[in-house]
Amino acid sequence: MSSIYQQQLGADFQKLHPRIQERLAFSSHDNRAFVGEGTMERVWHGPFYTQPFLRVGLLRNIMFPDAGQNIPFRIENYAYRDPLGRETVTWIRRFTFPRHVRCFDATMIRSATRDRIVDYLGTHQHLAVDIDLAVTARGGLRLRSGEQRFYEGRFNFKFPMLLSGLADVEEWYDDAAGCYRIQVEVRNKLFGKLFGYHGSFQPAWREVAPEAIPAYALPVRHEGRE
């Protein structure tokens, strides 16, 4: 079975660096997980007036108001079929600061209706974000966020773009250094740069059946609206 990234990129998937293809080609049928460990050379946040955005994110593992250099980092990607039958990939990120561990978690699906990847941010899938994918000149994967929607029970609305954090992410493979590299920048049209990080990590593939995915890597609730 093709992964959600193979389905979305189509023929362009073959333009990715072979190690990026390997990283993104697995699905729930493969019974394997990608675990990367490394260091973020820099984790940063915007000026003091951006802090309220980041502190709200702490409640649901969506960004955080911490900054530092050479921060130990771990990412875990598991693939599974959610209760609604959708092929899903987790993005579980852990940043180990001197005093605490910060989390930035999400789950991704491919929406045939929206014809794009939808990224549910945080632990409860309250925030659904459209993601556009593109292959970069060095064979990396670029992800850019678009429209954002909030769902909770009967309460739902589109986030005004002036109040949204727009993410620009690139992940690529560095042949010379023999590692994966990632660069993330989240901006707001009104307030400027909110949050970001860049660094590198090494892979460790694990055999993990969907039913054996650890509970902390799964959302507390699954949202059916895309």
Side-chain angles (χ1 to χ4, degrees), residues 21-158:
Q21 290 186 42
E22 177 187 36
R23 166 150 168 57
L24 299 174
F26 73 103
S27 73
S28 60
H29 288 252
D30 296 313
N31 292 336
R32 65 199 306 243
F34 180 95
V35 178
E37 292 191 338
T39 302
M40 290 301 104
E41 297 168 18
R42 181 176 176 235
V43 180
W44 55 269
H45 58 69
F48 71 93
Y49 51 79
T50 66
Q51 293 296 289
F53 288 94
L54 304 180
R55 292 193 179 280
V56 169
L58 281 174
L59 301 174
R60 290 291 186 264
N61 289 0
I62 308 172
M63 301 189 294
F64 45 82
D66 300 79
Q69 295 183 337
N70 299 320
I71 304 300
F73 172 78
R74 179 182 177 92
I75 183 167
E76 300 177 39
N77 299 118
Y78 301 95
Y80 68 100
R81 286 272 179 176
D82 76 6
L84 300 167
R86 303 175 301 186
E87 185 72 16
T88 306
V89 178
T90 71
W91 290 77
I92 307 300
R93 289 155 285 208
R94 298 290 180 265
F95 301 78
T96 304
F97 290 90
R99 293 186 178 180
H100 41 237
V101 176
R102 291 303 195 197
C103 308
F104 186 10
D105 298 341
T107 45
M108 292 188 184
I109 66 164
R110 180 182 181 274
S111 170
T113 302
R114 305 186 70 82
D115 190 26
R116 55 180 31 88
I117 297 295
V118 173
D119 192 12
Y120 290 105
L121 299 182
T123 55
H124 288 63
Q125 293 196 344
H126 285 138
L127 190 61
V129 180
D130 286 345
I131 301 292
D132 290 321
L133 305 182
V135 180
T136 66
R138 54 188 164 193
L141 181 68
R142 190 174 190 184
L143 304 88
R144 288 192 248 191
S145 65
E147 182 181 287
Q148 302 179 15
R149 301 165 296 281
F150 182 88
Y151 300 123
E152 172 55 38
R154 296 182 179 179
F155 189 53
N156 68 89
F157 61 90
K158 292 181 181 179

Side-chain angles (χ1 to χ4, degrees), residues 206-223:
R206 295 184 178 178
E207 295 297 318
V208 180
E211 60 272 17
I213 295 174
Y216 68 79
L218 299 172
V220 174
R221 61 185 281 274
H222 287 86
E223 174 57 58

